Amino acid sequence: MSSSERENIVLESASNRKDAENLHYIETLINDGAITPIDADIYTYEIHLPPWFDEEKFKRSWKSLEYVRRIHAVSGKKANTANSRMLVSQKDVAITQFGFVGYVVLNHQKLGVQHSQEGVEGFVHLWRTIGYMLGLEDRFNLCTDDFETSAQRMALVNAHFLRPSLQNPSAEFVHMTKIMIEGMWCYSILLNYEAFMFMTKRLSNVPGHHYWDDEPRDGAKTVYKEMGWLDRVMLNILMVIHEVLLNFTLARWLLNWVFLFNTNVMNKYLPLLAMMKHGVRKAYVKIVY
């Protein structure tokens, strides 16, 4: 069964069961969510901490969440002061939340993510908590206390926001994503714009973004065959890594080790790609946040 068929089943499940809460969710997100800002007051929520909670151990993550929430709220208020139609809304944060959890739930096999049902339910619960701590009201939060309901919400958000936007991207979107991905090339040589966007659209089940011979075509043209040779080479490498190699424990261990070594050693002490692109002096930067 293809990922698009699975998503359709999830959507049909919501429709067939006439789940008013889930079907109403997307309307609430579009209407109320777009005009409801994120509250900067971190004390507006109540959290009951478990006995094993170690304040010192979790202090860094707590401070990070607090910082992100304040940045969302402050930047939203400043933008709203300049233009009353601009704000960081509940809808914005919910769609952003999808980027961290939605693809893992709906299309984990295309990412090479290995998980049990218990594991993915725990992952959804984690992001429910993070969303709550970032100011998402329960009525807008993608993640609920029921996994099936959460998956339906994610499928609806993908169908109403992600896929249409990726099918018809604006010039501003293309410009911004190119700058972001090309700017991060110094971090990983595998960050190729065309390949990365193909995989992103593939995760959202955009028609035409099939790759393997046994995948359904749905009457759409094969997009990757129109890509340049270098883009296709990079795409092939990424596809093999995510959809083949990551299915094997040894490969996951090796690739994780390479990633950690690249992150904690090479990019920190010997950023060769940055040296090649920007010169030795500009290759070393201090990230302040």
Side-chain angles (χ1 to χ4, degrees):
M1 182 186 298
S2 69
S3 55
S4 58
E5 290 172 334
R6 269 194 300 275
E7 183 180 309
N8 288 335
I9 289 175
V10 171
L11 292 171
E12 288 172 8
S13 174
S15 177
N16 292 339
R17 293 190 300 121
K18 295 183 179 179
D19 190 338
E21 181 181 348
N22 273 329
L23 295 177
H24 181 64
Y25 169 77
I26 201 69
E27 295 179 3
T28 304
L29 190 63
I30 291 172
N31 298 318
D32 294 347
I35 60 175
T36 306
I38 291 294
D39 189 350
D41 186 1
I42 63 170
Y43 300 106
T44 56
Y45 53 66
E46 180 181 1
I47 294 181
H48 300 283
L49 301 175
W52 49 261
F53 181 82
D54 186 329
E55 185 175 349
E56 284 302 314
K57 185 180 294 184
F58 291 95
K59 187 175 182 179
R60 184 176 178 183
S61 59
W62 184 280
K63 291 293 183 183
S64 178
L65 286 169
E66 178 184 336
Y67 173 79
V68 172
R69 180 169 180 173
R70 289 193 187 281
I71 288 296
H72 284 168
V74 171
S75 59
K77 286 180 179 178
K78 287 185 177 180
N80 189 251
T81 301
N83 185 336
S84 60
R85 299 178 61 184
M86 294 178 63
L87 75 159
V88 177
S89 67
Q90 296 277 329
K91 185 183 81 170
D92 296 329
V93 177
I95 294 174
T96 302
Q97 183 188 36
F98 176 93
F100 290 95
V101 65
Y103 288 135
V104 174
V105 172
L106 299 177
N107 258 332
H108 67 92
Q109 75 287 349
K110 290 181 180 177
L111 288 169
V113 174
Q114 312 296 315
H115 63 61
S116 62
Q117 185 61 29
E118 182 182 13
V120 73
E121 288 180 6
F123 184 65
V124 169
H125 177 72
L126 169 68
W127 276 100
R128 182 188 182 200
T129 305
I130 292 176
Y132 178 69
M133 294 180 71
L134 289 179
L136 265 180
E137 298 176 18
D138 287 343
R139 59 182 176 141
F140 301 121
N141 201 324
L142 276 177
C143 304
T144 70
D145 57 357
D146 177 69
F147 179 77
E148 184 178 350
T149 300
S150 302
Q152 289 170 359
R153 287 189 174 190
M154 293 171 198
L156 287 167
V157 165
N158 184 52
H160 283 80
F161 298 111
L162 276 295
R163 186 161 57 237
S165 297
L166 288 169
Q167 280 182 286
N168 300 289
S170 65
E172 291 82 1
F173 173 85
V174 173
H175 178 66
M176 180 186 70
T177 50
K178 274 191 175 182
I179 289 175
M180 290 177 62
I181 295 172
E182 290 173 1
M184 292 176 66
W185 177 84
C186 295
Y187 184 81
S188 172
I189 198 172
L190 296 178
L191 283 174
N192 171 277
Y193 178 76
E194 294 297 336
F196 189 87
M197 291 309 302
F198 180 95
M199 292 192 69
T200 303
K201 293 178 181 181
R202 178 175 169 80
L203 287 170
S204 278
N205 301 320
V206 174
H209 289 75
H210 43 265
Y211 188 81
W212 309 109
D213 291 338
D214 59 349
E215 288 186 285
R217 298 297 192 260
D218 299 325
K221 64 179 181 180
T222 305
V223 173
Y224 82 87
K225 290 185 177 180
E226 299 180 356
M227 295 166 60
W229 71 269
L230 179 59
D231 299 329
R232 291 179 64 175
V233 168
M234 300 307 292
L235 174 62
N236 182 260
I237 293 173
L238 290 172
M239 291 293 295
V240 170
I241 288 175
H242 285 279
E243 299 195 25
V244 179
L245 295 180
L246 287 178
N247 290 312
F248 301 96
T249 302
L250 181 60
R252 290 198 301 274
W253 179 87
L254 179 61
L255 289 167
N256 282 337
W257 184 88
V258 170
F259 173 79
L260 291 172
F261 179 78
N262 188 50
T263 301
N264 298 320
V265 179
M266 293 301 294
N267 286 328
K268 191 173 183 179
Y269 300 107
L270 194 62
L272 295 177
L273 294 177
M275 290 178 180
M276 290 168 52
K277 188 171 183 178
H278 303 292
V280 176
R281 285 189 177 183
K282 294 182 179 180
Y284 292 92
V285 296
K286 182 178 181 180
I287 300 175
V288 180
Y289 60 92

